[in-house]
Structure formats: structure tokens, C-alpha cells
Amino acid sequence: ALGCRVLRLDAVAFLWKKVGTNCQHLPETHQIIKLIRNFLEIVAPEVVILTETNVPHTENVSYFGKGDEAHAVYQFSLPPLLLHGLLSGTAKHLTRWANEIAPPPKGCYFLNFTASHDGIGVRPLEGILPHKEIIQLADQIREKGGFVSMRKLEDGTESPYELNATYLSALSDPLDESLGMSRFLCSQAVAMAMKGIPAIYFHSLCGTVNNLDGVKESGQNRTINRKKWELNELESTLLEEDGQSAKIFEWYARTLLRRSGCPAFHPEAAQNILNLGSTIFSFERKSLDGTVSVFCLFNFLPTENPVESMEPLLDSFPDDKARDLISGGEVEWGNTGLCLRPYQALWLSTS
């Protein structure tokens, strides 16, 4: 009656309490979500149920049920996996993971995001990345001025639980601001292109850097990603000529508009993961009627990167050129092949 369109069930894994258990993922919790779903289908079928469960992937997707629980779940493995790939210069883990993801039940979706009001959870990397590489990722965040929140294991040792930094600062380059921004925009282009529904955190939209003063004041690591803007400060920041935040905001506005006009980015449009080399993440999205395809290519290196195999593109682009939805321009490759700029993201459309 109040106009709710998305019902977010926060930390819903702990909804039901039972003495003698860890109160996580209990059958009664799933039954309550099914009850809410049944109720909404009668009184408000347009409402989407979104569950928030920052746990390993298999546990996370259990909240789809058999297509009778949540309509959407957060894609929690994406933020840390994408961060790791771009910082380490490899797309192999992301490519393998994306290729192995089972599609959601019909009418259900992944919510693809890179940042939220919480930190970047690393538990969803369990079973995807070796523990050694998770530790290395945590060390990189500390080196960039961020924090790492730990959790205590059953044997008394500690392990990283959450990385605390804005996504922009996590991907920054201390020696080259423009290179760090390119890496950040590449990450956002990945999340916006993947099958599902994209979700963009406010501080990513505004290009906010680590709020270290806020952490000092509150004593809470998560405050680093929860800066409270004064309206006049935000407006002047987003209007600052040649400012990093202004450039990021303008890029989002332009890219989201072009994305919304492309049928290949429908939440249920097909996605086919491609293998164009270990340092390029790539996939094809195809519209529901099969008439429009978009080939998405992302360079994970800070250097120019030639595409190893052009075969997936040749049949769809016989003239050796394509329109890039992100830049709005035309990309040509001819006999020399396609070479991507540092951290370049391309959405090559057949229409």
C-alpha cells in the first residue's frame, strides 16, 4: 500500500532462532520466505523479494528455493573476485567462476554489485580462490589505506571476513590517478553487463574515496565507505571540471542510458562466457528474440593487451568493425586484430 517495489530481507539467514544451532539457514527461515512470497503473489505480484546473505555461493543461491523463495539474491562472489582479478592482472578465476555458475530458476535474478554500505565480504571466495590469494588480497587493501575485518575460526585463529574500503580506493593506483580510475570503471562495466540486475552503490556513483576521518571518529571500519555528504559539497564535487568524481558520475550517466536502450542487457537475456586469454574477461549477451548481441570485453592489465583469439567476433562482425556502446564510437580491427587499451572495457553491439 505504501508503494514498495523491492523488499530487501537483511541478514535473513539468521531469521529463525533455535537453541543448540548456529541459527543460520534453518528450514523454518526458508519456510517464512516462501510464506512471504505466496502472500505477495496474491496481494502485490509486482514486488520483488531480495535476500541478503553474505555467505559462500552455494548457500547464497539456496534462497532461490525452487523458484518459490527470493526473486533476487546478491551476487556476493562478484565484488571480491572482480577486485582480485583487476589488482592481480588475471581474469582466469573470474572466467572459470562465471562459466560454472548455474542459471537461476526462471523469473529469478542475480543482483550484480561491487560495493554496498558494508565492506567487501571475502567468505564468498571460499572454494573459488586459494586461501593464500585471499590473504594477499587483504594485504593489498591495507597497503591502499583500507582495513580488514577478521573473524575467529573454531580453532581460535583469525581469517579475513571483510575488506573495508570504497571500491574506487581499493582499485586506485597511487602513482597514476587516471589509471586507477580506468581500472575502477572497467569493474563497473563488468557488473553492469553481466546477466542479472545491476546495482550501484551511491559512493561508487559519486567516486568517493576512503573516509579515513570518519573511521577515526566512529572507531568503526565500515565508516570508511559511509561518508555523509553535505549537499553543497557533493554538488560542487560533481560539477568540478576535470575532477575525478565528476568524470565518474558523467560516465555512469552516459553508460547507464546506453545500457537501458539495449535489449541484450535484459535480466534474462542469454550470457555466454568466452575465452579470449587469461588477462581478458569476456562474454556475449544476446537479446531474448536473438536479434541483438553484445560482445563484452574487459582488459585486466595496466598495459595494452592484444586479443588472442578473434574467432568469436569474426562471424558477428564480418566488416571487422563494431559499435561500442560505452564510448558511442566505432571500433575497427582489420587484419592486425583488436588491441585493448589499459583496463579498457568494450560493449560491441551487432545492432
Side-chain angles (χ1 to χ4, degrees):
L2 295 175
C4 170
R5 293 299 304 274
V6 179
L7 179 62
R8 178 182 184 272
L9 304 181
D10 180 73
V12 72
F14 299 98
L15 176 64
W16 192 267
K17 307 299 182 184
K18 183 179 290 186
V19 174
T21 74
N22 65 0
C23 303
Q24 189 173 23
H25 310 313
L26 295 181
E28 292 87 347
T29 292
H30 289 277
Q31 290 297 322
I32 289 178
I33 298 172
K34 289 179 184 180
L35 177 63
I36 296 172
R37 173 73 175 261
N38 289 341
F39 174 74
L40 288 176
E41 285 183 350
I42 296 171
V43 303
E46 72 281 1
V47 173
V48 171
I49 299 173
L50 170 64
T51 53
E52 188 267 338
T53 51
N54 191 356
V55 292
H57 184 77
T58 303
E59 299 170 37
N60 186 33
V61 297
S62 71
Y63 287 85
F64 284 134
K66 296 180 179 179
D68 57 355
E69 293 185 37
H71 298 90
V73 302
Y74 284 82
Q75 185 58 286
F76 274 110
S77 297
L78 181 61
L81 194 54
L82 186 54
L83 182 65
H84 169 271
L86 284 165
L87 289 177
S88 58
T90 178
K92 64 180 182 180
H93 297 296
L94 185 62
T95 297
R96 185 183 71 246
W97 167 79
N99 209 28
E100 294 174 352
I101 295 174
K106 185 174 176 58
C108 295
Y109 316 97
F110 289 115
L111 192 79
N112 297 317
F113 75 113
T114 60
S116 73
H117 62 291
D118 292 336
I120 303 163
V122 295
R123 280 209 65 206
L125 291 178
E126 294 174 12
I128 301 175
L129 279 187
H131 185 68
K132 179 182 177 181
E133 294 192 39
I134 296 176
I135 297 297
Q136 290 172 346
L137 178 60
D139 289 340
Q140 286 178 292
I141 296 303
R142 291 190 184 99
E143 290 170 4
K144 291 175 180 291
F147 303 96
V148 178
S149 298
M150 310 293 285
R151 69 186 182 99
K152 186 164 288 188
L153 305 179
E154 291 182 0
D155 62 3
T157 62
E158 288 189 330
S159 180
Y161 170 75
E162 184 178 85
L163 310 178
N164 301 108
T166 69
Y167 216 72
L168 175 61
S169 289
L171 288 168
S172 63
D173 187 315
L175 302 178
D176 190 334
E177 182 181 277
S178 63
L179 193 65
M181 187 174 76
S182 295
R183 183 157 55 189
F184 170 73
L185 294 181
C186 180
S187 74
Q188 303 310 288
V190 170
M192 284 196 276
M194 291 188 73
K195 183 175 180 178
I197 301 171
I200 300 166
Y201 183 45
F202 179 79
H203 287 299
S204 293
L205 185 70
C206 299
T208 308
V209 297
N210 285 342
N211 179 24
L212 298 177
D213 289 339
V215 175
K216 187 181 296 185
E217 183 179 336
S218 69
Q220 301 294 321
N221 287 350
R222 284 179 170 178
T223 310
I224 199 169
N225 196 27
R226 296 178 177 180
K227 176 180 172 66
K228 295 180 180 179
W229 287 94
E230 293 291 338
L231 179 58
N232 59 350
E233 180 191 6
L234 179 60
E235 288 178 338
S236 63
T237 298
L238 296 182
L239 293 173
E240 181 183 346
E241 189 173 352
D242 294 329
Q244 180 174 244
S245 292
K247 289 178 181 177
I248 289 172
F249 185 80
E250 189 276 331
W251 179 90
Y252 270 121
R254 182 182 70 247
T255 306
L256 285 168
L257 185 63
R258 289 171 178 163
R259 182 194 184 280
S260 67
C262 180
F265 290 128
H266 184 282
E268 293 185 271
Q271 174 175 278
N272 176 37
I273 304 298
L274 307 175
N275 190 352
L276 302 183
S278 63
T279 57
I280 295 175
F281 183 51
S282 182
F283 51 86
E284 177 191 4
R285 297 293 308 277
K286 182 171 286 189
S287 62
L288 295 177
D289 62 7
T291 60
V292 179
S293 286
V294 175
F295 288 82
C296 304
L297 284 69
F298 310 95
N299 180 13
F300 275 34
L301 292 179
T303 56
E304 290 190 351
N305 195 2
V307 178
E308 293 179 6
S309 174
M310 293 295 293
E311 290 183 12
L313 302 176
L314 295 180
D315 291 340
S316 297
F317 305 105
D319 296 330
D320 293 341
K321 62 182 180 181
R323 183 169 67 97
D324 173 33
L325 297 180
I326 294 179
S327 67
E330 194 170 74
V331 177
E332 296 187 48
W333 50 87
N335 295 329
T336 59
L338 181 59
C339 187
L340 303 179
R341 297 192 305 274
Y343 298 119
Q344 184 174 15
L346 294 174
W347 293 349
L348 303 179
S349 175
T350 59
S351 66

